[in-house]
Amino acid sequence: MSFRLQRHPANPILVPDPLSEWECFNVFNPSVIYHNGLFHMHYRAQGQDWISRIGYAVSSDGLRWNRLRRPIFEPQDASDSRGVEDPRVVEIEGVFYMTYTAYGREFYGSGQPTHAGGGILPMIARSTNLIHWERMVPMVRGEDNKDHVLFPERINGRYAALHRRRPFVWLAYSDDLVTWREEDMQPIYGPREDNWWDCKSVGSNGVPIKTEHGWLLINHAYDQNHVYRFGTVLLDLEDPGRVIHRSREPIFWPEELWELRGDVPNVVFSNANPVVDGTVYVYYGGADHVIGLATCPLNDLIDFALSS
Ligand code: BMA
């Protein structure tokens, strides 16, 4: 069975603002949460100093956005001085949490720095109004770990998250979102064999979607040519460490000029798949430069995820 997400004709739906110092070069990899009848976007932006900051925009239709003129979340110290990246926002029990990658000039670990003399941390922040964010803690330190996303509710009484510890996507549990113990983490799936579209690297996209058939994930992967694509993974509702089904075919890949060419070529990268009135809204960065939207009916995506 083959299946595609449908690009919205209004794409790209958000582009850099040439008049703004902090978002004049790239806006990409947004989170979008639907709350109180509005779409709230938190997006990664880069401007003249090339440091990633998080901008905020709001919309009533998910297409036309009103953006705040200043970033709502910025680097604070050596742990994130090179940027705050790739937000994923979820509401759990009335509090908003943002998982994001902190990229700093310092490396907090015992081995070698992971990124150009510095390192990254899979961070969590919290907010009660989606605008003011308070940093919490990283899930782990001292390793190349990102693409972390929280499940929207506790599972068997505990908070749960997915994270990417190469080469696998891992599941992790925590009682309080602060303490993440090694013994509460397990790998769940990794890249497939050579020549598959997901043979080199895999990671999670937006917040897992709860369905009667399991936790529905849209995931991303790249191959030997570094082309990013999306697929689906279905995890057991009670035990999300158990993969029920994984799509053989991808559902989305770069085709438009602004996905094939930009700051980084051949990239579609999504941190958001909110479901509104039975439609899945997949927001994504195109070539690390602009923001696009692709949609599909939730029921069709479930059928595909169960059978492909
Ligand atoms: C990943 C992340 C994303 C980015 C992608 C493609 O590792 O850093 O932010 O979109 O690479 O460049």
Side-chain angles (χ1 to χ4, degrees):
M1 180 175 170
S2 84
F3 181 80
R4 302 272 188 93
L5 300 178
Q6 295 301 316
R7 285 179 180 79
H8 198 281
N11 276 337
I13 57 144
L14 205 79
V15 298
D17 177 354
L19 302 179
S20 158
E21 208 171 305
W22 63 277
E23 57 172 334
C24 55
F25 290 156
N26 297 313
V27 296
F28 57 121
N29 301 1
S31 160
V32 177
I33 183 170
Y34 188 73
H35 179 72
N36 279 349
L38 293 169
F39 293 81
H40 302 263
M41 177 188 284
H42 298 82
Y43 60 95
R44 177 175 170 191
Q46 292 174 323
Q48 282 175 359
D49 59 8
W50 285 100
I51 289 173
S52 295
R53 297 176 173 81
I54 307 293
Y56 170 82
V58 66
S59 170
S60 54
D61 61 6
L63 292 173
R64 292 165 297 172
W65 299 88
N66 180 15
R67 10 180 166 176
L68 206 60
R69 286 290 150 208
R70 57 177 176 81
I72 48 114
F73 196 63
E74 297 189 69
Q76 294 174 29
D77 57 33
S79 74
D80 58 9
S81 52
R82 292 173 176 173
V84 286
E85 306 178 348
D86 302 353
R88 293 170 170 88
V89 175
V90 62
E91 182 184 9
I92 310 174
E93 296 164 14
V95 178
F96 300 105
Y97 297 95
M98 180 200 291
T99 50
Y100 67 96
T101 307
Y103 179 23
R105 65 175 179 271
E106 281 185 14
F107 174 69
Y108 299 85
S110 49
Q112 291 296 311
T114 52
H115 293 74
I120 58 169
L121 292 170
M123 285 291 299
I124 306 177
R126 71 193 294 280
S127 172
T128 51
N129 64 4
L130 292 168
I131 304 289
H132 178 259
W133 292 89
E134 185 190 331
R135 285 196 327 198
M136 294 172 65
V137 291
M139 289 179 63
V140 297
R141 290 173 188 272
E143 57 179 72
D144 177 356
N145 189 314
K146 55 163 75 171
D147 293 335
H148 53 308
V149 61
L150 292 166
F151 284 76
E153 59 185 63
R154 291 178 202 243
I155 299 174
N156 301 317
R158 311 180 84 189
Y159 296 101
L162 301 168
H163 60 112
R164 197 273 283 132
R165 171 182 269 169
R166 284 196 193 284
F168 300 105
V169 169
W170 289 59
L171 174 69
Y173 287 108
S174 169
D175 290 324
D176 56 8
L177 295 172
V178 175
T179 304
W180 296 90
R181 293 191 189 86
E182 240 355 271
E183 59 263 35
D184 296 327
M185 297 188 187
Q186 63 179 104
I188 46 181
Y189 72 94
R192 286 184 279 204
E193 303 89 79
D194 283 355
N195 299 322
W196 279 68
W197 56 277
D198 53 1
C199 62
K200 287 293 173 205
S201 182
V202 290
S204 301
N205 287 12
V207 175
I209 301 168
K210 191 177 191 184
T211 77
E212 60 177 312
H213 303 282
W215 292 104
L216 174 59
L217 312 180
I218 303 178
N219 71 342
H220 65 258
Y222 60 78
D223 61 6
Q224 63 280 3
N225 298 318
H226 235 271
V227 176
Y228 277 76
R229 296 180 177 84
F230 303 158
T232 57
V233 180
L234 203 60
L235 303 177
D236 187 82
L237 273 186
E238 296 292 313
D239 174 15
R242 194 171 78 79
V243 175
I244 299 172
H245 204 90
R246 182 172 174 189
S247 68
R248 295 177 62 82
E249 301 293 329
I251 59 170
F252 200 67
W253 53 87
E255 289 175 314
E256 297 287 334
L257 189 57
W258 48 272
E259 299 163 347
L260 299 166
R261 297 283 176 269
D263 199 34
V264 180
N266 304 314
V267 177
V268 287
F269 195 92
S270 171
N271 304 343
N273 37 245
V275 180
V276 183
D277 295 334
T279 296
V280 187
Y281 288 71
V282 178
Y283 292 92
Y284 62 98
D288 286 2
H289 181 53
V290 295
I291 294 175
L293 168 65
T295 63
C296 68
L298 175 60
N299 285 338
D300 294 357
L301 189 64
I302 294 172
D303 288 348
F304 170 81
L306 281 167
S307 63
S308 96

